[in-house]
Amino acid sequence: MIYLSTDYVFDGTQPPYKVNAEPNPLNTYGKTKRAGEKVVLEVCPLRAIVLRVPILYGQVESLGESAVTVLCEQLRKAVADEQPKLFDNWATRYPTNTADIARVLEHISRLRDKFASEEHAVSRVYHFSATEAFSKYTIAQLMAKLLYADDEAARAAALELIKPNPDPPSGAPRPRDCRMDTSALSKMLGGDEALTCVPFAKGLADALSQH
């Protein structure tokens, strides 16, 4: 059994987080994911694997499905309304493509006996994440460059409407930087090559191409 968890089990104050770092979730999402980790590892102590992942993006039916691609909707509305839009520039995120997640899950599944072995297993908990760091503000800037790549004037106008918000987001508390150390998973999969991720600009362009 592979349980998908989240980087939000950490409070974001002391990155990078190794697999044995003490979780301290700040909000309900992180707390429920952490509770799920505990249950899975208690019920299946020898066969279960917990894989923590960061914010995800990829091919979607609608842009609102992902916390990354939904920013495109917000950007397009700002452009249509010709109104500046604040985008979070406080928290650092590491958007990871769902295709890369699927590939790593396949690797883990093929090596399930190794992961389950007390002799070979590094941990019952592993981290996987892309390494490129972005805020929602810098993601929105990249989106503007991709969406209006062939129209310099439109691109400049869109970029002018994107404004950075340096303050913590309102609502549920969120961690500032949950960068995760992936060395344990790299060791189990035989090196960093298995953890290679599609460059964010390319993955984002592909995700937006149908929308």
Side-chain angles (χ1 to χ4, degrees):
M1 177 181 182
I2 303 173
Y3 175 79
L4 280 178
S5 190
T6 174
D7 57 351
Y8 267 35
V9 299
F10 300 115
D11 59 19
T13 61
Q14 294 181 304
Y17 291 94
K18 292 183 176 293
V19 294
N20 60 353
E22 185 66 28
N24 183 33
L26 301 180
N27 54 38
T28 300
Y29 174 65
K31 290 175 182 178
T32 54
K33 280 292 193 178
R34 176 56 181 157
E37 291 182 1
K38 291 180 178 179
V39 170
V40 166
L41 294 174
E42 287 173 3
V43 174
C44 303
L46 298 180
R47 303 298 297 180
I49 296 293
V50 170
L51 183 65
R52 294 173 179 151
V53 298
I55 188 171
L56 304 180
Y57 76 99
Q59 296 296 321
V60 293
E61 293 183 0
S62 66
L63 293 172
E65 291 178 32
S66 162
V68 173
T69 53
V70 72
L71 300 178
C72 184
E73 290 184 337
Q74 298 171 12
L75 174 58
R76 284 174 170 166
K77 186 177 188 304
V79 170
D81 296 342
E82 298 183 353
Q83 292 293 321
K85 169 68 177 175
L86 283 173
F87 289 90
D88 172 35
N89 199 36
W90 178 81
T92 300
R93 311 300 298 275
Y94 301 86
T96 302
N97 197 288
T98 52
D100 291 320
I101 298 290
R103 176 176 47 78
V104 166
L105 288 172
E106 182 180 12
H107 279 310
I108 293 174
S109 296
R110 288 179 176 176
L111 296 173
R112 60 186 179 275
D113 291 336
K114 180 180 179 181
F115 275 85
S117 167
E118 289 288 354
E119 178 183 357
H120 294 104
V122 177
S123 171
R124 297 294 173 211
V125 178
Y126 294 89
H127 295 164
F128 176 58
S129 173
T131 58
E132 293 179 273
F134 292 86
S135 66
K136 289 185 176 180
Y137 168 68
T138 56
I139 291 174
Q141 288 183 311
L142 177 56
M143 283 182 173
K145 295 172 184 177
L146 294 172
L147 291 171
Y148 306 105
D150 299 325
D151 189 330
E152 184 176 352
R155 183 170 66 253
L159 288 169
E160 183 63 28
L161 294 173
I162 299 169
K163 304 299 182 183
N165 184 356
D167 301 320
S170 59
R174 298 172 185 272
R176 186 163 195 175
D177 185 348
C178 288
R179 180 163 61 95
M180 296 186 293
D181 182 298
T182 61
S183 58
L185 184 61
S186 174
K187 181 177 180 179
M188 288 299 287
L189 295 183
D192 289 341
E193 184 177 349
L195 305 186
T196 301
C197 292
V198 61
F200 182 59
K202 181 183 185 306
L204 185 61
D206 290 344
L208 299 179
S209 63
Q210 303 301 316
H211 302 277

